[in-house]
Amino acid sequence: MNIGRPKQGVAYNKPTGKLIGFHARKGAAEPIRLARTSLREQTEKTAMSQAVQNYIDTHSKSQLIGFVLTFLLGPLGLFYSSWVAALILCVIAFSTAFTIFIPVICWLLSILVGFFAVNKHNEKVKAAAQLGIPE
């Protein structure tokens, strides 16, 4: 009779209050952790995820601001999202200002490009935050 003994393959660690199991194969002595993570580990994870979220919130760009700027200012408002695309569209729009058609196309194109540029920037910020690499 096994009175007061744990089941075979399972042990209880009194100081930490965790259940520890052992591999089923013969001769394996590596413990397997069965219990939940400790409060300290959970606190560290929460603090890390909060730091990541703070980084994302701080460095992300607003889709609404990007849309309003490109809607009101056209290619000039695109400097908020992507300075390269803004420069290209401004040169095209100003060099073809004598025609009304091409600057209007540049204006509408800047709204579309602004949306995708802000989205791409925010994805880069999320990836950098999760890897722990500053942008």
Side-chain angles (χ1 to χ4, degrees), residues 11-104:
Y12 182 73
N13 189 347
K14 285 186 181 181
T16 61
K18 296 178 183 174
L19 287 176
I20 299 175
F22 295 92
H23 290 288
R25 62 187 166 96
K26 286 187 177 180
E30 288 186 41
I32 302 172
R33 197 160 143 186
L34 300 175
R36 293 186 203 162
T37 57
S38 69
L39 182 61
R40 180 177 165 206
E41 290 171 351
Q42 288 175 354
T43 306
E44 288 174 358
K45 267 188 180 178
T46 305
M48 181 62 108
S49 64
Q50 285 176 349
V52 167
Q53 190 60 41
N54 287 340
Y55 180 85
I56 291 170
D57 292 342
T58 304
H59 292 85
S60 292
K61 292 184 179 181
S62 171
Q63 288 282 0
L64 180 64
I65 292 173
F67 173 75
V68 169
L69 287 172
T70 54
F71 184 77
L72 295 177
L73 302 174
L76 291 175
L78 195 56
F79 277 105
Y80 173 76
S81 310
S82 169
W83 67 270
V84 175
L87 192 62
I88 292 169
L89 286 176
C90 282
V91 167
I92 292 171
F94 291 135
S95 65
T96 60
F98 58 89
T99 66
I100 194 71
F101 182 69
I102 295 175
V104 169

Side-chain angles (χ1 to χ4, degrees), residues 97-113:
F98 58 89
T99 66
I100 194 71
F101 182 69
I102 295 175
V104 169
I105 295 296
C106 287
W107 196 285
L108 296 174
L109 191 60
S110 68
I111 295 172
L112 186 65
V113 170

